[in-house]
Amino acid sequence: MTKITTYADFWPHYLREHAKPETRTLHYVGTAMTFGFAAVAIVLGGWWWALVPLAGYGMAWPAHFAVEKNRPATFTYPLWSLVSDYRMFFLWLSRRLPAHLVAAGVAAR
């Protein structure tokens, strides 16, 4: 694979790596959990902060290996991948994700 050098090129790649709705659903669950654990961590402090990345990656990585059958983009593009996780989540919440999926060549099911 050719190295991706811009976020504009990474975003469609990221969406293609999340082509299956089941993969995206597990990402949404993990991303939502990061907000919950962050809120708990803000209130209680301490070790709760460790659960924030564990929640997101703990749901996302198994989705790639078991459902999508690919390697998480986080391993190659960690910052862009993190940004894209939240971008995909908020586009999904606002019901604007299907247009992005179609533009990336992913069937919006």
Side-chain angles (χ1 to χ4, degrees):
M1 179 178 142
T2 306
K3 183 152 177 66
I4 299 171
T5 58
T6 67
Y7 182 76
D9 290 334
F10 176 77
W11 175 240
H13 166 76
Y14 176 88
L15 293 175
R16 288 188 294 271
E17 294 293 299
H18 298 80
K20 295 183 179 176
E22 300 84 358
T23 301
R24 293 192 302 271
T25 298
L26 289 169
H27 273 65
Y28 304 147
V29 170
T31 302
M33 288 171 62
T34 67
F35 289 111
F37 285 129
V40 171
I42 289 168
V43 173
L44 300 179
W47 65 271
W48 285 95
W49 283 108
L51 295 178
V52 175
L54 288 177
Y57 294 130
M59 297 298 289
W61 289 355
H64 284 284
F65 295 124
V67 177
E68 202 73 45
K69 307 283 193 234
N70 64 17
R71 186 173 181 260
T74 304
F75 295 169
T76 309
Y77 303 96
L79 183 57
W80 286 347
S81 186
L82 178 64
V83 168
S84 296
D85 283 342
Y86 286 96
R87 182 179 182 186
M88 183 173 69
F89 178 77
F90 286 111
L91 285 169
W92 169 73
L93 274 180
S94 64
R95 300 178 192 263
R96 295 181 300 146
L97 184 60
H100 290 261
L101 292 170
V102 170
V106 176
R109 324 176 242 164

